[in-house]
Each structure stands twice: as C-alpha cells, then as structure tokens.
Amino acid sequence: MVSEQEIRYAAEIIKQGGLVAFPTETVYGLGANALNPLAVARIFTSKERPSFDPLIVHIASIADLEILAEKLDDRVYILADKFWPGPLTIVLPKSKIVPDIVTSGLNTVGIRMPDNRIALELIKHAGCPIAAPSANKFGRISPTKAQHVKKQLPDIDCILDGGSTTIGIESTVITLHSDGFVILRQGKITKEDLEKVLPYSKQDIDQNEIMSSPGNIKSHYSPNKPLYILGDNLEGLDTKNAAFLSFGTIPDREFKIIEFLSENGNLDEAAIKLFEKLHILEDSDVEFIIAEPVPEKGIGIAIMDRLQKAAHKYL
Ligand code: TXA
Ligand code: MG
C-alpha cells in the first residue's frame, strides 16, 4: 500500500520539476509536471525517447481538461462521462498553456483521467496535470509492476509501488473527426464500446494522424530477444532453448520454458499478464520466444497489436 504521506512526498517532487513513476490501471507512467517544459524534457532524456513522440497528459478533474484543451464539444463530455476515469486517451486541440515539448510540436494534446487512486491523488496533490509516457526505455517492454520500472529506469527520483496494474495494456487512443471517432492506438476500450456512445468516423485516418501518433506505427514493446508469433510452421525449428508464450495450448514439442498468458483462453487475464510474462522471458536465458496468437476480439485486438509490434516475424 502506498501511504498518503508517500503520495504527498512524490507530489512535492513533481512540483519541484522532478520525475515520479506511478501506477495507473494500464501500465506504470513516468510523470512530470505537464506545464513545466524543463521537467517534461527530463522524461524524454531518461526514457531515451525521440522528441517527435508526444506524451499523454493525465488529469484528475474535468476542470483540468478545460484548461488543457480547446473546442470541447458535447462529444468529449459524453466520452469523459462514460469512460473516465479509465483507459481512454482523447486527442484534442491543445490550449496555449500546454508546452510544445509535451505534444512534440503538434497542435493537439492527448488527455486521459486514469482509474487509479494513487495516480489521481498524485495529480491532485501536485496541483498540476501530469505528462506521463509508460515508464520504460523507448521501444522496450512496458512496465506493469514497480520492479519493471526499476529494471529499466534505475535512476529516477521516486517510484510509487502500487502493485501490479489491473488492465496491463496501455490506454486506447482516439481522436475525433467531424462525423465520429477514429482509433489511433488499440486498448482495453474497443471500437464496439465506443460505438455505444459515438459513431465511428467514415473518414479514413489521414497520414498526418498516423505520423502524429508514433505509438501507432513504430515497432515497440520489444523484449531484448527475438519474438515470433506462431503461425503453423514450427517444423524443423529447434525450440529446446526457446520459450513458448501460451494462450492455453500445450505445445507438442520441447521448449525450455512455457509461460501462460492464460491457461483457459481468458483475454482479460492475457492482457494483464502480457508485459509481465515478456519481462520474465526477457530476463530468462532462452534464445527466442514464440507467442501463441490470441483471438482478435475485445481486448485481444490490443494484445495482438502489441505482439505484432514486438515480433520480428511470423513463424
Ligand atoms: O495507458 C497509457 O496510455 C499509458 C499510461 C502511463 O497512461 N501511457 C502511455 O504513454 O502509453 P506512451 O507515451 O507510451 O504512449 C503515448 C502515445 C504516443 O506514442 C502516441 O501514439 C499517442 O499516445 N499520442 C499522444 N499524444 C498524441 C497526439 N497529440 N496526437 C496523436 N497521438 C498522440
Ligand atoms: Mg509506451
């Protein structure tokens, strides 16, 4: 349990321009005062993150949303009412108060209200919105436990240890067109969930939107050893020194390690365990990892998105 006192101490670090890693319901974030460009610059340095990759700003109240974003129409309030606090990031026209470094120079800002007590209290006590990417080195596996943050970012000022995150995969990122929403990054909240309150846009995502959302295009989430997604071709492959990341299937050949995302095909459980198991396998002495694909429905779409970005190729 993280005490009130620890949260206040961490909030003080944020106020003074430092970095704090904190849990959200999705993954751990590496936070700084979103309105302090020097503090935000430290996030990019410590993550070795390229400056073209914009950060998500975390808020604890709708009042914060109204300070950070402009041209808020009813749809934003409908989404906020239905999905916040929760794993939905909405990309909106930014106000002048948001420093360019946060948005990589874009005129939009990604905003979300996390569904985690520690995160919300940290934001409230810091008295400012908190810009936070996932607390991992750029391109590597996202952290779902405090120890994952320590492994990749040993030098940061403070880590609030709130135990394992409860969703395990980063938020869904959307933006709004005049006729509806489009998804820039898949997550727990699916197209079907969103369609219950807003139409899906008929206008295609344009090239600018794709380029502005690097989480959408770049290879990401990679363990430090090759990962392949299992097709049907394991013939002739020596897997004695490999790991199998299973979604319930027991392979009929020898592997050095078998880890289960779920033993009975449960997608929510698989999402929670995905990064945790990849961390375990990255730290093991196997030569490569073969992951069993999961069904592309519900959060399975986001799991496959992460596996495909982590993967070298299909087998
Ligand atoms: O669940 C999450 O979203 C976690 C926790 C910590 O909140 N955060 C997270 O941040 O995943 P990060 O930095 O790993 O991913 C941010 C991604 C960017 O790579 C980009 O794809 C999208 O969010 N994004 C942020 N601001 C954007 C903008 N203005 N326009 C388009 N995409 C944006
Ligand atoms: Mg990330």
Side-chain angles (χ1 to χ4, degrees):
M1 266 309 271
V2 177
S3 68
E4 176 80 19
Q5 204 186 353
E6 282 172 279
I7 297 175
R8 282 183 187 275
Y9 169 76
E12 209 46 51
I13 292 175
I14 297 275
K15 282 184 187 169
Q16 287 167 17
L19 301 184
V20 172
F22 62 97
T24 77
E25 77 281 36
T26 58
V27 299
Y28 275 72
L30 179 62
N33 177 351
L35 306 181
N36 176 342
L38 287 177
V40 173
R42 296 189 61 207
I43 295 180
F44 284 90
T45 312
S46 99
K47 266 188 72 109
E48 294 163 28
R49 181 180 177 107
S51 59
F52 59 76
D53 195 353
L55 304 180
I56 293 170
V57 179
H58 296 69
I59 59 173
S61 71
I62 294 295
D64 289 342
L65 168 72
E66 290 165 347
I67 291 169
L68 298 167
E70 284 179 351
K71 299 186 199 133
L72 295 172
D73 60 43
D74 289 351
R75 301 176 301 170
V76 181
Y77 291 93
I78 291 170
L79 288 166
D81 191 48
K82 171 95 177 145
F83 296 106
W84 283 353
L88 180 71
T89 297
I90 312 175
V91 173
L92 295 162
K94 85 172 190 73
S95 73
K96 287 202 179 62
I97 201 177
V98 183
D100 285 339
I101 187 168
V102 172
T103 65
S104 303
L106 298 168
N107 55 14
T108 55
V109 58
I111 300 178
R112 86 178 190 98
M113 191 187 293
D115 186 13
N116 178 286
R117 177 192 68 88
I118 298 167
L120 292 172
E121 285 188 15
L122 178 67
I123 299 165
K124 283 185 198 147
H125 288 310
C128 59
I130 294 184
S134 48
N136 51 284
K137 290 274 187 202
F138 181 71
R140 301 288 304 283
I141 310 170
S142 299
T144 57
K145 291 171 182 280
Q147 76 203 54
H148 298 157
V149 181
K150 276 188 207 124
K151 178 174 125 183
Q152 291 192 23
L153 304 169
D155 299 329
I156 59 159
D157 304 330
C158 171
I159 304 176
L160 292 172
D161 185 349
S164 293
T165 61
T166 53
I167 290 178
I169 280 189
E170 300 86 345
S171 61
T172 306
V173 180
I174 64 165
T175 190
L176 298 173
H177 290 169
S178 57
D179 65 339
F181 71 92
V182 288
I183 296 181
L184 298 175
R185 182 178 69 186
Q186 300 288 343
K188 164 87 174 167
I189 294 174
T190 60
K191 182 171 175 236
E192 288 72 32
D193 296 331
L194 291 157
E195 277 177 329
K196 290 188 183 130
V197 297
L198 277 190
Y200 187 73
S201 172
K202 293 197 175 53
Q203 303 158 22
D204 286 338
I205 304 182
D206 66 38
Q207 202 54 30
N208 278 342
E209 286 171 326
I210 293 174
M211 293 309 291
S212 70
S213 200
N216 195 27
I217 50 165
K218 287 192 69 70
S219 94
H220 250 77
Y221 317 109
S222 303
N224 63 6
K225 44 191 60 147
L227 181 138
Y228 302 94
I229 300 175
L230 179 64
D232 45 16
N233 183 13
L234 280 184
E235 305 278 311
L237 194 74
D238 184 358
T239 56
K240 278 201 286 299
N241 286 317
F244 188 70
L245 186 58
S246 170
F247 187 60
T249 299
I250 312 264
D252 56 6
R253 57 164 55 228
E254 188 183 345
F255 278 88
K256 190 164 194 180
I257 301 179
I258 300 179
E259 288 283 352
F260 287 90
L261 289 181
S262 169
E263 290 193 35
N264 54 4
N266 180 318
L267 285 169
D268 285 326
E269 182 191 358
I272 292 170
K273 291 192 179 159
L274 177 66
F275 291 134
E276 181 188 339
K277 296 299 184 187
L278 287 175
H279 275 286
I280 290 172
L281 295 178
E282 167 176 279
D283 295 340
S284 75
D285 61 354
V286 298
E287 284 167 11
F288 59 94
I289 303 162
I290 296 177
E292 181 179 4
V294 308
E296 294 197 51
K297 56 174 196 219
I299 198 170
I301 299 170
I303 297 173
M304 283 310 289
D305 168 71
R306 304 310 189 269
L307 279 176
Q308 272 152 1
K309 285 183 177 131
H312 282 229
K313 57 182 179 202
Y314 282 83
L315 272 179

